[in-house]
Amino acid sequence: MVWENLLPSCIDCNRKRNQITPKGDTSQVRLLNDSIQFSSSVTIGSGKKDSFPLAHTGVRAVQDSDDLNLEKPLLLDPCADDPEQHLRYFFDRFNPISFVLARELVGDPDYSGADGLSLKGGTSVHVYGLNRLRLVQARTELLRRLEFLAEMAIDLTVLAQNIDAGTDDDLGRLKRQVIGYSDRILNELRRMAEKEQPYSAMVKAWLSEFVERVEAAV
């Protein structure tokens, strides 16, 4: 019972419960190949409870004098690990749905699986139930809001560009107003990515992809 072992956690991530989850193996490799529809789902037990899986190179500590650094745990610790190195988000703008997947991690002797994906990422997705139905629904609702705001910002920007301000004060004022609306939307998108906002990691990942999408279209 030490402070380093006490972390805030939601009930569904911490307690063992049966959750509706899309089909796919533990490492999530076949998740997208099998299905992205919850109509093809299964009910599985997820939640940490007393789970503490180790990498195959790890040595489990059994007494206080053992070196904890040798254990090499497979569950992500957000106070010690950078989740972005082991997890990624799947986005489909034409069928908005938000899954968490294991990130590619080739060549790591401890945490790289045979498929080249992060064992830490895949194990954490499975044990914490990061793709359970209610969690996916909440992230997907936010994802659809992001897409709506992004489309509005793009349309307003294009409209502003198409306005020929010339010497007409009314047109110039209209253009500035349209640009102002677009800027407010973009500021709201950035605010949603701040750390204290819900699902900010997903929003941050989506914004990065959105910027690439806009740059490719310009």
Side-chain angles (χ1 to χ4, degrees), residues 39-154:
S39 58
S40 301
S41 61
V42 293
T43 300
I44 64 172
S46 63
K48 182 184 182 299
K49 196 178 179 180
D50 56 356
S51 299
F52 195 72
L54 304 180
H56 69 283
T57 56
V59 179
R60 191 174 299 278
V62 295
Q63 54 189 6
D64 292 343
S65 59
D66 290 340
D67 188 352
L68 298 182
N69 293 322
L70 298 179
E71 286 194 309
K72 304 186 186 305
L74 287 177
L75 292 178
L76 287 168
D77 176 358
C79 293
D81 300 308
D82 181 1
E84 292 186 7
Q85 294 181 358
H86 301 275
L87 300 174
R88 68 180 181 90
Y89 288 91
F90 167 77
F91 300 124
D92 182 354
R93 58 179 299 204
F94 302 106
N95 180 31
I97 190 167
S98 177
F99 286 130
V100 180
L101 305 175
R103 185 178 291 280
E104 185 175 356
L105 189 70
V106 179
D108 190 306
D110 299 314
Y111 301 120
S112 178
D115 46 36
L117 301 181
S118 168
L119 291 173
K120 266 195 173 185
T123 304
S124 297
V125 168
H126 177 69
V127 173
Y128 296 143
L130 299 183
N131 285 324
R132 57 184 182 269
L133 177 59
R134 293 179 63 183
L135 193 54
V136 171
Q137 287 175 329
R139 290 197 306 257
T140 298
E141 181 179 357
L142 180 59
L143 178 61
R144 288 173 177 171
R145 180 185 172 198
L146 288 168
E147 290 290 347
F148 172 73
L149 290 173
E151 288 181 7
M152 285 187 62
I154 292 174

